[in-house]
Amino acid sequence: MICERCPREASIHVKETVDGRQREFHLCAECARESGLMPLVTPPTFGLESVLQNLILSKVGELVGELSQRICPVCGLKYMEYRGEGRLGCPHDYHAFEAGLVPLLRRAHGATRHVGKRPRRTTAPDSLTRLRLRARLRVAVAREDYEEAARIRDELRPREADR
Amino acid sequence: MNLEDLKRTSGEWLRGTGPESDIVMCSRIRLARNLADFPFINRAGRNEKAEIESQVRSALNDPRLELSYLDVNAMGPIDRQFLVERQLISRELASAEGPRGVAVGPRENVAIMVNEEDHLRIQLMNSGLSLRDVWEQINALDDQLESSLDYAFSPLLGYLTACPTNVGTGIRVGVMLHLPALVETKQIDKVFRALHKINLAVRGLYGEGTQAFGDFYQISNQRTLGTSELELIRNLSDVVPQIIQYERTARQALVNERRQVLHDKVSRAYGILKTAHTISSEETMLLLSSVRLGINLGLIDDLEIPTVNELFIHTQPAHLQKIQGAELEVDERNVARASYLRGRLSNGRHLTS
């Protein structure tokens, strides 16, 4: 198995449960050391195994804890939901979950920057606003707040009328 | 064009022409694209999917594109399966829910899925090894769609996709190869291991997770970020001729060392296909693969490659049911398949010459 942060072989494997979801962690010794998950000098193994396991668990818990709390402010997807389903909720997630996605992109693609085709025109500046409005609309419809839903639809309309 | 028209024709990519078409069934490129101001599909509600579909459909409506839109949401399971067998939609789109569909070009070389994992999955296929041509055509098509659709794009990460494994170029460049001799000589795993090492994926005829059948394999790029489309095409174009060469060498070895055994296998396969009265889909694929190899080695001379290519598709369950115009159970399908094969193969030149 490959380390989650670099192409080396993973040698530290940790299981933990966050928000009722079980998750596994795989790091190479070097990355584990860098994150303070392993002491710089390999300790004698006698009887210390469980102590070491506890140390790793507490540190990894902190690391994942921070990311696992993240929620995309635009579409409302939780980082841990993404890790469970493997699919993002909206284009803004790439920004909201950057800290978690960058190591993953490096692992999957060996790169973190796009090279190649670009659209001739840039994405419209109000796209993010419109994404937010759509999220609010979803909530309003779910709450059966039709007045609010109608207001949001009016706000969304102008660009659709341009088309 | 509708489904009834489709069942009477077959895709241009099956016509068995183009460079190296004895081994390369087709070259295919797909692009994943999303609209900037909608959530990705797994967070989109029914209304949003309907809006996405309507915006995309109006962009696809341009008469110059000559596309026909098929509403997958309104179809029954057999029709959806028919499109999967046809390589026009994925199994994922077939089994998804809510507003979704596919726009198909007149010769079936273009298929644009709407509301699959991404808002748009644009696919272009040509017969034989012609990745550069396919790229030029799909690039122009993408440019045209982009002029009326606002794509989700980041200068840093490229085209933004629902799954980060497609982000960047959003491209999958692939070739579908017929490799019966490498399978027969048990060298295929060695080839696959070598391909994995250079970050190329190997899949069966129907994409991710499907078993290869009829000795057809799709080879495609895995990485989409950090390497340009042309570079990815070049990588694959450099590797494919080597696989073709391995397959040719293996075929030659079979001819030199086991000619009688090979000829016997090919003739028996052809014989069974022409005379059987009940036959499963799996057996049909296996035998058609031998027959296809036999034609390419000159062991069968009264049957043409496009016919065999078409039979791989037309003998599948949903195709048989569409052709028969009735729902059939497995046993009934096996009888219908054998009857269809006898009909198609008895028209070969061996009867008339």
Side-chain angles (χ1 to χ4, degrees):
Chain A
M1 183 162 297
I2 304 299
C3 171
E4 296 186 9
R5 302 205 189 155
C6 74
R8 280 187 291 259
E9 192 66 25
S11 56
I12 306 288
H13 309 279
V14 180
K15 270 190 191 165
E16 63 150 21
T17 308
V18 175
D19 287 348
R21 226 185 266 268
Q22 199 169 65
R23 155 145 169 72
E24 288 180 28
F25 240 72
H26 309 280
L27 296 171
C28 71
E30 216 137 306
C31 288
R33 238 174 243 130
E34 255 177 46
S35 348
L37 301 184
M38 256 176 76
L40 290 170
V41 180
T42 316
T45 49
F46 60 93
L48 272 181
E49 219 166 298
S50 61
V51 179
L52 189 64
Q53 279 286 339
N54 282 338
L55 181 72
I56 291 170
L57 271 174
S58 66
K59 291 288 185 181
V60 171
E62 252 171 57
L63 197 84
V64 175
E66 198 272 322
L67 258 176
S68 74
Q69 298 306 311
R70 285 201 196 178
I71 298 176
C72 171
V74 175
C75 71
L77 186 79
K78 293 183 184 132
Y79 180 72
M80 294 313 282
E81 285 177 320
Y82 156 67
R83 292 307 304 242
E85 295 160 16
R87 300 284 180 276
L88 294 166
C90 79
H92 189 72
D93 289 352
Y94 280 96
H95 180 69
F97 304 146
E98 193 182 355
L101 287 176
V102 165
L104 189 139
L105 292 176
R106 191 171 294 126
R107 213 165 49 244
H109 301 284
T112 54
R113 273 173 182 262
H114 172 58
V115 179
K117 183 170 181 176
R118 286 164 188 275
R120 285 203 196 115
R121 52 176 199 174
T122 50
T123 302
D126 65 344
S127 291
L128 192 58
T129 313
R130 295 174 67 80
L131 257 178
R132 284 207 167 95
L133 283 172
R134 287 190 204 285
R136 275 176 47 206
L137 180 62
R138 269 201 304 280
V139 174
V141 171
R143 272 205 321 255
E144 300 187 8
D145 184 347
Y146 299 115
E147 266 178 53
E148 169 75 354
R151 264 198 303 277
I152 300 172
R153 280 205 187 90
D154 284 342
E155 271 190 80
L156 274 168
R157 206 148 286 145
R159 207 164 96 218
E160 269 146 31
D162 294 346
R163 285 177 191 281
Chain B
M1 178 174 57
N2 57 33
L3 285 181
E4 294 310 304
D5 298 330
L6 281 180
K7 83 178 184 202
R8 280 187 289 272
T9 60
S10 58
E12 195 182 32
W13 60 275
L14 287 168
R15 71 183 199 272
T17 57
E20 318 281 6
S21 59
D22 54 334
I23 293 173
V24 185
M25 182 90 137
C26 68
S27 303
R28 153 154 65 180
I29 295 181
R30 77 107 164 97
L31 299 174
R33 300 286 188 254
N34 287 280
L35 305 185
D37 60 349
F38 283 92
F40 293 138
I41 292 302
N42 71 330
R43 294 292 279 187
R46 205 183 168 82
N47 290 342
E48 284 163 320
K49 285 186 194 172
E51 270 188 75
I52 296 165
E53 187 185 39
S54 128
Q55 284 198 14
V56 172
R57 278 190 75 164
S58 56
L60 297 175
N61 224 352
D62 187 327
R64 285 171 301 173
L65 294 173
E66 295 182 78
L67 297 168
S68 309
Y69 191 80
L70 306 173
D71 182 353
V72 174
N73 195 34
M75 283 177 194
I78 293 181
D79 287 351
R80 295 200 299 260
Q81 182 58 28
F82 175 82
L83 293 177
V84 173
E85 291 173 1
R86 203 78 179 186
Q87 303 272 330
L88 293 174
I89 69 172
S90 63
R91 290 177 305 162
E92 290 72 19
L93 189 81
S95 60
E97 282 176 5
R100 64 196 193 281
V102 61
V104 180
R107 288 168 305 280
E108 290 179 51
N109 55 347
V110 174
I112 303 172
M113 285 191 282
V114 181
N115 288 349
E116 204 238 29
E117 180 182 303
D118 293 296
H119 299 158
L120 287 108
R121 286 281 177 103
I122 309 165
Q123 166 182 283
L124 213 140
M125 292 199 278
N126 275 356
S127 179
L129 182 59
S130 60
L131 287 168
R132 282 301 291 261
D133 283 354
V134 173
W135 167 246
E136 274 162 34
Q137 292 169 47
I138 200 169
N139 190 27
L141 175 59
D142 183 47
D143 284 346
Q144 194 172 342
L145 295 179
E146 180 213 300
S147 66
S148 54
L149 294 171
D150 200 13
Y151 285 157
F153 181 86
S154 132
L156 199 66
L157 291 175
Y159 294 93
L160 302 177
T161 51
C163 183
T165 54
N166 296 316
V167 77
T169 53
I171 200 172
R172 177 162 287 159
V173 181
V175 287
M176 196 195 292
L177 304 176
H178 187 224
L179 304 173
L182 286 174
V183 174
E184 179 73 27
T185 56
K186 301 190 169 53
Q187 298 177 78
I188 196 88
D189 287 335
K190 207 168 67 188
V191 174
F192 291 168
R193 279 198 296 276
L195 291 173
H196 281 301
K197 274 191 190 145
I198 52 171
N199 299 311
L200 293 176
V202 183
R203 294 181 175 81
L205 186 54
Y206 288 97
E208 233 149 319
T210 64
Q211 230 184 335
F213 68 35
D215 304 320
F216 283 103
Y217 295 91
Q218 293 184 64
I219 318 275
S220 59
N221 64 301
Q222 271 176 314
R223 297 181 166 188
T224 55
L225 183 66
T227 312
S228 72
E229 293 85 353
L230 287 175
E231 187 68 26
L232 288 166
I233 289 164
R234 205 172 304 130
N235 289 348
L236 204 66
S237 305
D238 286 348
V239 172
V240 170
Q242 295 178 46
I243 307 174
I244 294 172
Q245 195 48 52
Y246 287 141
E247 170 67 19
R248 288 204 202 292
T249 308
R251 287 181 183 189
Q252 202 50 53
L254 284 178
V255 169
N256 294 343
E257 293 156 26
R258 288 187 251 166
R259 192 182 171 88
Q260 304 270 273
V261 177
L262 177 71
H263 203 157
D264 183 66
K265 188 178 173 183
V266 167
S267 304
R268 279 170 188 269
Y270 195 21
I272 292 172
L273 290 171
K274 281 196 290 193
T275 56
H277 280 258
T278 170
I279 190 165
S280 71
S281 180
E282 293 72 26
E283 187 180 6
T284 306
M285 297 297 138
L286 209 68
L287 299 178
L288 282 173
S289 179
S290 289
V291 166
R292 195 177 191 277
L293 176 66
I295 298 171
N296 283 324
L297 292 176
L299 302 174
I300 293 175
D301 60 5
D302 62 354
L303 186 63
E304 286 171 342
I305 288 289
T307 308
V308 180
N309 289 350
E310 195 177 282
L311 288 176
F312 276 106
I313 307 293
H314 283 199
T315 55
Q316 289 182 49
H319 268 76
L320 280 177
Q321 295 176 80
K322 289 295 284 180
I323 292 165
Q324 301 276 321
E327 273 189 48
L328 305 171
E329 296 297 318
V330 176
D331 291 349
E332 298 171 312
R333 285 207 297 271
N334 291 346
V335 170
R337 181 177 297 112
S339 158
Y340 179 74
L341 282 164
R342 289 198 310 276
R344 290 293 302 267
L345 295 175
S346 66
N347 292 331
R349 268 181 284 130
H350 60 286
L351 284 184
T352 49
S353 60

